[in-house]
Structure formats: C-alpha cells, structure tokens
Amino acid sequence: MKRKVTLKQIAKELDVSISTVSKSLRDSSEISEDTRLKVQAFAKLYNYKPNLIALSLKNRKTKTIGIIIPEIVHHFFATVISGIEHVANEKGYNVIVTLSDESFDKEVINMDMLANGSIDGFIMSLSKETQLRKDFHHITEVINQGMPVVMFDRVTNDILCDKVIIDDNLAAFEAVQKLIDANFKHIALITTVDYVSVGKLRTDGYVKALKANNMEVDSNLILKIEDIDNCTEQIENLINNNKIDAVFAVNELFAVTAIKAAKKRGIIVPDDMAVIGFTDGIISKYSSPSITTVGQNGIEMGGKAAQMLIDRLETELEEEEHYKTEVIETHLVIRESTPTL
Amino acid sequence: MKRKVTLKQIAKELDVSISTVSKSLRDSSEISEDTRLKVQAFAKLYNYKPNLIALSLKNRKTKTIGIIIPEIVHHFFATVISGIEHVANEKGYNVIVTLSDESFDKEVINMDMLANGSIDGFIMSLSKETQLRKDFHHITEVINQGMPVVMFDRVTNDILCDKVIIDDNLAAFEAVQKLIDANFKHIALITTVDYVSVGKLRTDGYVKALKANNMEVDSNLILKIEDIDNCTEQIENLINNNKIDAVFAVNELFAVTAIKAAKKRGIIVPDDMAVIGFTDGIISKYSSPSITTVGQNGIEMGGKAAQMLIDRLETELEEEEHYKTEVIETHLVIRESTPTL
DNA sequence: TGTCAACACGAAAACGTTTTCGCAACCTGT
DNA sequence: ACAGGTTGCGAAAACGTTTTCGTGTTGACA
C-alpha cells in the first residue's frame, strides 16, 4: 500500500528541488539533459502522475462538467448522458452526475454543491417542480458567477444561456399531420400538464395541426396527465369512452399504455387505431406492436450540449450575451403502430 | 459577474487575518463573539461558500465516488447509478460517472484518470473485454494505492475487494426449476458467451437445474450469443429449428427477441411456449406479452455498493483483507410470458 | 584577470482552506 | 506590584502543483 508519489518526494529522493522536478517532467529547456532524464526515469519508475486536485486548485479549472437531470432511469436522459460523456471524455473532461428527482430543492442543493469549485460548467435539464415554480434564481446566480450553463430539452426562456432543444412544437405538428394525411379523423392527445415545457409545446403542435386542417379540437380527446405513474386508468377511460381512431402521445409510456388499453378493449393497433408516440426509446422499439414515434437523438443532444459548453469554457474571450440555441433534428420513426402511411 | 468570494477577501475587507475569518465561520470559541458575528454576517451577505477543491486538497478527501460501468444506456446500469447516487448524496458524496463502452482500454484510461486524486473510491462493473482478457492490473494497482474499490454485478474472483452481486447461478436455477415444475420438457437457453461472468453463472444454473431433474442437456437448445446487436437471426434459427416449449434467456433483450421470433412463427406465448427472462427492466414490463423475469434490484445493488464504499472510506481503521461480498436477493416477477405456474 | 552572458538550478508565491502554535494584552489573586 | 492564567488574534505550515524570479557557477572574451 504505497501512497501516490508526489513531486516533493521525488525531489527529496533525487536531492534536487521541487521546481527542478516539475520542470524536468514538463521538458523545460531550463534543466540540463542529465537531470531531466534522471528525473523522468525516476518518475516513470514510480509511476508518477500529477495530482489533479492540486492542478485544479492552481489552474482554477477542474476539467469536469456537472450534469443535473431529473432522473437517470429514463432512457432519453441516459442517452443524453452517454452523448455528453463521450464528447467530454474526448476533450479530456469528466462528468459528475446529479439527479434532481424532479424536485426543486434537490436541484438547488445539487447546484450549490457543484458550484463551489467542483466543476467548470453545467449541463442541465429542468426538474418538473422547477418548471412549475418558475424559480430559477439558483441558475442565474451560477451564471452571474461566471460559470457557463447549457440547458437541454426542458429549458426556459427566463434564463439566458446556451440551449440544445428539439423543435417540440414542429415535431408534434408533423406527427399529427401524418395522422391527418392518413385520413384519421378522431385523433386523441395524451400529454402532460402544461407546466412541463416540452409537454406544452407538443400539445400546442397537436392543436396547431388540427387547426391547420380545419379540424375541430375536441377537449374530450385531450388528456393531460399529472401523475405519470398512475396513468393507466385515465388512459383507459379516454379510450373506452370516446370514438378515437388515432392517438398522439407525448411520450413512450403514454403511447404503450394507450396500446395496452386498446388491446384490452379488443381494439387492434394499427388497424382500428393508430398510435404515434414521442421519444425513440426501448419501449417503442420492443413493444408489440412496435411504436411509430418521434425520434429525438439523445446522444446527439448530449454531444452537442457538451460541445457548446466546452467551446465556451475554452474560448476565454468571455463573449457574453452571445448565446446560441441549437435545434436538433427530429424524425418520425415508422413502426407497426401506424398503418403504412 | 462577481467571482466567488474567498476567505482572503473577507479578511482584507474586514481587516482581520484569514485565520480569524476561518475560525469565526467555524464557530471557534477562540474568537470573540463580536468578531465572530461580524464575520459571519459579512460572509452570509456575500454568500461565502468554502471552495471544495481547496478542501479536497487539504483534507486529501474529495467526497466523490468514481463509477465505471460498461454503458449507461442500459436500464439495469442506470438503476444502479440511481441507487448509488441517492445514498451517496445522502452522505454528502458526489458521483462521477465514466463509461468503458465494454472496452478494456477505456476502462483503464478512465480509472487512471480518476485515480489521480479526483475521487475517494471506485464502484465498478467490469467491461466485457476486461473479463475476456482477465487483465485486472489497473484495479490491483488502484487498490494497492489504498483506494477502496467495490465491484458489482460483473465481478471477478481474481480481485480481492468488496463486492455486491446477485446469486446468478441460484436465480437461474430457480427460474429453470419453475419451468420444469410447470412440466415443460424442452427448455432452451439463450445466453451470452462464457467469458461474461454473469452469463456463465446463469448458464451453469440452467444446466444444474436440468441435471438436478435428470433431464438431458441438449446442446442444440443452448444458444450462446456473442454479438448482442445481431441476435435476432440466431434466435429465430434456434426457435424455428427445434422443438422448444420454453425458453430461459439471460437478459431482457434475448427474451423479447425470442418472443418476437415465436410470434413470427405463429407460436403463441405463453400457450405454446413459455419465456422467462433476466433483469426486470422496461422491456419485460412493457412488451406484449409482458415477460416473466428474474428481478435484480439495481437500486438496491447500487445503494448497497455505495454504502459499503462509504463505510470503508469513513472507518479509518484500515481493516484490510476483511472484504465482504453482499448478495442481493432476486425474485421471480411473474408476468404474461409464462402460464400461471 | 576582470566582466558578462549562458547555464542550471532553487526559493517562493500562488491557488483556498484548516489548524497549530505563539504572542501580546488583559485580568486575577496575593 | 508581580506571577500566572485567560482571552483574542495572527503567522505560518500544510495539501501538490506551476511558474516567475533570482542567484551561483561556469565559460568565453577582451
């Protein structure tokens, strides 16, 4: 159990100064080739690696990115992390992951915790509660301290910073338009409550599509779900009590639950009812029938977010107020839950 | 854009020494109530928070746990991280996540990167390639430096450290035994290649169950899959070319693919063929029919691992060679892919 | 031989903390 | 009035780096 060797120890061992050791290892021309090689050999022998914490303190850079997401047990967020991790790693950054569990308080606590020197910048997606309360003081505070923040997916206009999103409104519009094109007349919407930003945008897209085609927006066909864990009953009610020939759901879970509800009722998907979901995750791919869905590339989103953050970190120019919002392309992944359109 | 305030700045501003400020903030009795309150008020006003990097350097503790897993876009690993993050957070630790992508080299690189001061200990699950090569020098090295390591799920006997596992062998045995009890006679196994530790153990459990019941182990009914991404064809072959009335699969993907293959052939699950999978994730829950599976509680595993690591970190006693292996209970989650047993 | 540059290296500051120790100034009791 | 004990605070070391600046030794050159 040998502790990690430090410059000081090498210096002592070789009877030179710490400076000499440091310079030797960094191949400074100040040091004679003799000592340089001697030091380097010794360092290699003892497997010297500079202590990153000490470097962080000295350089005031940690080469670490902080991530705050609502939860990780959620395929989309997992893919985003994966995307972040890969480009971060490529650029020599580590990622430190914290979960808000959709709680405002945890989001704040985690942010405070990381903001005290542990990281160089944030990549985050807002918790539901934060979106509900519209309280973003913790984020502005961090930004004011000069720490860059990149938000993705669940963002807000109340904060000025770099963002990576998809065009939820457009994607929803296009998905519903597809259903309309395929001659479906009674298209239901299963969505979240309005304060969830992406839910609201997708809802708007649905409404827009109907209106653009002069179709009536029937509020009975719009189900807004608050508690995602207990959506089954509500969705069954929706399907059992209405004449519906297509469903647009704002996430995978709602989509698959709708299919199960239909199946229970003897409604065949896609013959009697078409379903389009949102997010191309595990569920859409492996459920039976597999689900046509709006694919949002989480890996790409994460990668882009990391890219933007690192760019900002590494251009010292402090070009404030030059924030960009990147829009990642979505695409409809056609599967079995829709008839060949 | 005000930089974070430091002790030094407070000291200067209040015309006292840094020591005085530090002590005041830590409520030292050495300092008069007068100055103490004055400093505290000032600190609160400027929202002083100690710099964690500086503390890490001083205390030689980062209060951060390093995680190395094969991939994160995998429900089981995501749940484990979730478990780790929650107990870590509770104890005041952060987690830094790195992915090996099943690659030995990335595993080594990530380990080296984190071992240089960034973290206090590791929680990890071996990459496939590492298991194949049986090269664990990077892990022993880290352990020898006095940094605790907790391994979970994909572990190895070649390393002495704390471990959290499930009894893969027993769980597989019991699952297969269930099938046998239900009078299935031709039970196929879809598993991974042998070097994946958990795959091997589950395979052994399958064999053991058959033998224990004096059933023949038919190698035609055992499919070992190397490339998990292209398993469909092999699984279809297995099902199409053999008389099979039940399938035991060592993961969700194989299970759902088997069901799809059966469906394609007009075989009804569970009436004509029963399926039991492994890992109670998204797929098992939402596929149709939903899949009976061996549940391994990732949250619990992660939580336990974090607990063990933190315990070891916080008992200075250095009680080496007293490593424990925790076995997390599994349980069969009965769903639609098996007849009521 | 004296001067000046080149060379090779070391001392020290800095990053932001905590903590040990020392040292004044004051107070107490005789 | 003086020994001894509090009280309140500051200096400095330490954690492990990097880097600036200084400095002593050499060699060359006039």
Side-chain angles (χ1 to χ4, degrees):
Chain A
M1 148 102 137
K2 35 169 190 174
R3 272 250 157 288
K4 293 223 62 119
V5 60
T6 70
L7 287 187
K8 196 195 275 193
Q9 290 165 35
I10 299 183
K12 195 165 165 192
E13 213 66 36
L14 261 45
D15 205 37
V16 293
S17 78
I18 296 184
S19 336
T20 305
V21 177
S22 176
K23 287 171 189 165
S24 298
L25 293 178
R26 323 199 87 240
D27 266 328
S28 161
S29 61
E30 249 183 286
I31 306 295
S32 71
E33 195 173 348
D34 245 29
T35 23
R36 218 179 334 132
L37 294 181
K38 192 175 60 180
V39 171
Q40 288 177 1
F42 192 91
K44 178 159 291 174
L45 179 64
Y46 280 85
N47 192 28
Y48 169 80
K49 299 272 174 53
N51 181 308
L52 294 184
I53 293 290
L55 282 180
S56 295
L57 183 59
K58 177 134 196 41
N59 302 332
R60 280 125 134 236
K61 289 196 184 176
T62 60
K63 288 288 217 168
T64 303
I65 295 174
I67 301 182
I68 304 182
I69 52 174
E71 47 175 331
I72 200 175
V73 187
H74 192 312
H75 187 260
F76 170 66
F77 285 120
T79 58
V80 173
I81 294 196
S82 181
I84 296 174
E85 206 268 351
H86 282 103
V87 347
N89 231 261
E90 212 167 82
K91 310 269 183 181
Y93 284 76
N94 279 319
V95 302
I96 191 163
V97 175
T98 66
L99 313 177
S100 65
D101 291 331
E102 304 285 13
S103 140
F104 173 78
D105 288 338
K106 278 205 68 178
E107 188 175 296
V108 173
I109 291 176
N110 285 329
M111 243 185 140
D112 282 351
M113 183 134 179
L114 294 186
N116 298 141
S118 311
I119 61 164
D120 296 340
F122 281 104
I123 295 178
M124 69 182 302
S125 191
L126 294 170
S127 81
K128 271 188 197 168
E129 206 189 335
T130 307
Q131 291 196 117
L132 176 57
R133 294 166 64 147
K134 292 186 187 305
D135 181 348
F136 309 114
H137 77 273
H138 50 305
I139 308 179
T140 19
E141 199 172 292
V142 159
I143 293 178
N144 283 338
Q145 281 171 15
M147 182 168 288
V149 173
V150 176
M151 304 186 63
F152 72 90
D153 199 54
R154 279 143 64 155
V155 304
T156 172
N157 287 327
D158 295 0
I159 295 279
L160 286 178
C161 66
D162 291 315
K163 289 163 193 165
V164 184
I165 55 173
I166 59 168
D167 191 335
D168 286 284
N169 191 299
L170 179 63
F173 178 90
E174 289 177 350
V176 175
Q177 184 65 51
K178 277 272 184 189
L179 291 172
I180 296 174
D181 290 347
N183 216 26
F184 291 105
K185 300 298 182 194
H186 307 283
I187 305 173
L189 169 70
I190 308 178
T191 184
T192 63
V193 282
D194 278 347
Y195 65 77
V196 178
S197 60
V198 295
K200 177 69 162 69
L201 289 168
R202 293 170 196 172
T203 301
D204 292 349
Y206 160 88
V207 172
K208 193 159 90 184
L210 293 188
K211 287 190 174 161
N213 291 271
N214 298 315
M215 292 171 67
E216 187 196 352
V217 178
D218 180 354
S219 65
N220 289 321
L221 297 191
I222 297 181
L223 173 59
K224 296 189 180 179
I225 291 176
E226 168 100 45
D227 178 10
I228 203 167
D229 291 326
N230 296 308
C231 60
T232 307
E233 196 183 346
Q234 293 179 66
I235 291 179
E236 285 179 353
N237 279 341
L238 172 75
I239 291 190
N240 294 346
N241 301 330
N242 293 279
K243 197 176 121 200
I244 292 172
D245 57 8
V247 169
F248 174 57
V250 301
N251 60 42
E252 289 192 301
L253 185 61
F254 294 167
V256 74
T257 308
I259 290 178
K260 290 218 168 195
K263 210 178 269 180
K264 198 165 169 184
R265 256 243 148 168
I267 300 171
I268 310 284
V269 176
D271 302 349
D272 305 334
M273 184 180 100
V275 173
I276 295 185
F278 215 108
T279 302
D280 181 19
I282 303 287
I283 296 182
S284 303
K285 197 163 167 189
Y286 291 108
S287 79
S288 306
S290 57
I291 304 176
T292 295
T293 194
V294 178
Q296 44 176 167
N297 192 328
I299 305 256
E300 190 184 345
M301 257 181 123
K304 195 78 201 170
Q307 187 61 255
M308 291 173 81
L309 182 61
I310 293 175
D311 280 354
R312 199 164 281 280
L313 286 174
E314 304 198 337
T315 68
E316 303 296 338
L317 313 180
E318 304 272 350
E319 35 180 336
E320 303 223 4
E321 308 305 319
H322 210 271
Y323 295 124
K324 285 196 302 186
T325 294
E326 287 278 344
V327 180
I328 301 290
E329 290 297 314
T330 57
H331 54 282
L332 204 59
V333 181
I334 308 290
R335 294 219 181 82
E336 300 165 357
S337 70
T338 47
T340 37
L341 298 174
Chain B
M1 150 109 132
K2 34 165 192 179
R3 272 248 158 291
K4 294 223 61 122
V5 62
T6 70
L7 287 188
K8 194 196 276 195
Q9 290 165 34
I10 299 183
K12 195 168 166 189
E13 212 67 35
L14 260 46
D15 204 37
V16 292
S17 77
I18 296 183
S19 336
T20 305
V21 178
S22 176
K23 287 171 188 163
S24 298
L25 294 178
R26 324 199 85 240
D27 266 328
S28 159
S29 63
E30 251 182 281
I31 307 296
S32 72
E33 194 174 349
D34 246 26
T35 22
R36 222 185 324 139
L37 294 181
K38 192 175 59 182
V39 171
Q40 289 177 0
F42 192 90
K44 179 159 291 172
L45 180 63
Y46 281 85
N47 193 26
Y48 169 80
K49 299 273 174 54
N51 180 308
L52 294 184
I53 293 289
L55 281 180
S56 295
L57 182 59
K58 177 131 195 46
N59 301 333
R60 280 124 132 237
K61 288 195 186 177
T62 60
K63 288 286 213 169
T64 303
I65 294 174
I67 302 181
I68 304 181
I69 52 173
E71 48 175 331
I72 199 175
V73 186
H74 192 312
H75 187 259
F76 170 66
F77 285 121
T79 57
V80 173
I81 294 195
S82 181
I84 295 174
E85 205 269 351
H86 282 102
V87 346
N89 230 263
E90 213 167 82
K91 309 270 182 178
Y93 283 76
N94 278 319
V95 301
I96 189 162
V97 175
T98 67
L99 313 178
S100 65
D101 291 330
E102 304 285 12
S103 140
F104 173 78
D105 288 338
K106 278 205 69 177
E107 188 174 298
V108 173
I109 291 175
N110 284 330
M111 237 180 148
D112 281 350
M113 183 135 181
L114 294 185
N116 297 147
S118 312
I119 61 164
D120 295 341
F122 281 104
I123 295 178
M124 69 182 303
S125 192
L126 294 171
S127 80
K128 271 188 198 169
E129 206 188 336
T130 307
Q131 290 195 118
L132 177 56
R133 293 167 64 147
K134 295 187 186 303
D135 181 350
F136 308 114
H137 77 273
H138 50 306
I139 308 179
T140 20
E141 199 172 292
V142 158
I143 293 178
N144 283 339
Q145 280 170 16
M147 182 168 289
V149 173
V150 176
M151 305 187 61
F152 72 90
D153 198 52
R154 296 198 203 152
V155 305
T156 172
N157 287 328
D158 295 0
I159 295 277
L160 285 179
C161 67
D162 291 317
K163 290 164 194 164
V164 185
I165 55 174
I166 59 169
D167 191 335
D168 286 284
N169 191 299
L170 180 63
F173 178 91
E174 288 176 350
V176 175
Q177 184 65 52
K178 277 270 184 189
L179 291 171
I180 295 171
D181 289 347
N183 216 28
F184 291 105
K185 299 299 182 195
H186 307 283
I187 306 173
L189 169 69
I190 307 179
T191 184
T192 63
V193 282
D194 277 347
Y195 65 78
V196 178
S197 60
V198 294
K200 176 70 162 73
L201 288 168
R202 293 168 196 173
T203 301
D204 292 348
Y206 161 88
V207 172
K208 191 159 92 184
L210 293 189
K211 287 190 174 161
N213 293 272
N214 297 313
M215 291 170 69
E216 186 198 353
V217 178
D218 180 353
S219 65
N220 289 321
L221 297 191
I222 298 183
L223 174 59
K224 296 189 180 178
I225 290 177
E226 167 99 47
D227 179 11
I228 204 166
D229 291 327
N230 296 308
C231 61
T232 308
E233 196 184 345
Q234 294 179 63
I235 291 179
E236 286 179 355
N237 279 341
L238 172 74
I239 292 192
N240 295 345
N241 302 328
N242 294 280
K243 196 176 123 201
I244 292 172
D245 57 8
V247 168
F248 174 57
V250 301
N251 60 42
E252 288 192 301
L253 184 60
F254 294 167
V256 74
T257 308
I259 291 179
K260 289 217 168 194
K263 211 178 270 178
K264 199 166 168 183
R265 257 244 146 168
I267 301 170
I268 309 285
V269 175
D271 301 350
D272 304 333
M273 185 179 98
V275 173
I276 295 185
F278 214 108
T279 302
D280 182 19
I282 304 286
I283 296 181
S284 303
K285 196 163 169 191
Y286 291 107
S287 79
S288 307
S290 57
I291 304 175
T292 294
T293 194
V294 179
Q296 44 175 164
N297 192 329
I299 304 257
E300 191 183 344
M301 260 183 119
K304 195 77 201 173
Q307 188 61 256
M308 290 172 83
L309 182 61
I310 293 174
D311 280 354
R312 198 163 283 279
L313 286 173
E314 303 197 336
T315 67
E316 303 295 338
L317 313 180
E318 305 271 348
E319 34 180 338
E320 304 223 3
E321 308 304 319
H322 211 271
Y323 296 123
K324 285 196 301 187
T325 294
E326 287 278 344
V327 179
I328 302 290
E329 289 297 315
T330 57
H331 53 284
L332 204 58
V333 182
I334 308 289
R335 295 221 179 82
E336 300 163 358
S337 69
T338 47
T340 35
L341 300 175

